[in-house]
Amino acid sequence: SYRHVLEHVHDVLGELAEAHRILRPDGLLLVEVPNFGGLRYTAGRLRTTLKLSRPIYGKLNLPEHLYYFTIDTLRRVLKKTGFEVLSWGTYGKTRVKRNAARKAYDAVRDGLKVGNKLRVVARRMD
């Protein structure tokens, strides 16, 4: 399981290749990373483009996060290291009390897969 680890790793391909090596055939891998294709980062890029806020890099967690992933980039990296994505989704951290409106927003956000966090379950392929 790589829960908020891969974005900090210098050699992502090497790390995933090692995970592939030590997993059993058909073993499962859980990966969670910030979702650069999510609403938070997409809105930040739009605000920056429209000059409504400071540049998006001010919102990035640099230098701690070396990489940011979308589902497409993460899927390609996993495929390149011998994994097949079985399922994926997004979620977000709720910093406010979850009332009915917030629960509805969370359900729509996650249904559209635009949450701030990306969760992938992949299977080792041989």
Side-chain angles (χ1 to χ4, degrees), residues 22-89:
I22 64 174
L23 270 177
R24 296 181 308 200
D26 289 332
L28 298 179
L29 180 71
L30 172 69
V31 176
E32 292 182 357
V33 293
N35 181 16
F36 201 64
L39 194 56
R40 175 183 179 199
Y41 295 109
T42 301
R45 290 190 299 273
L46 179 61
R47 283 191 307 271
T48 297
T49 300
L50 296 175
K51 299 186 189 293
L52 298 175
S53 69
R54 65 184 182 177
I56 181 80
Y57 57 78
K59 297 184 181 345
L60 300 178
N61 191 3
L62 301 172
E64 292 87 6
H65 287 183
L66 303 173
Y67 298 98
Y68 280 87
F69 298 93
T70 64
I71 185 56
D72 292 331
T73 58
L74 187 55
R75 192 185 304 268
R76 281 194 300 258
V77 167
L78 287 166
K79 184 177 181 181
K80 191 171 191 170
T81 54
F83 291 96
E84 172 190 28
V85 172
L86 297 178
S87 66
W88 70 278

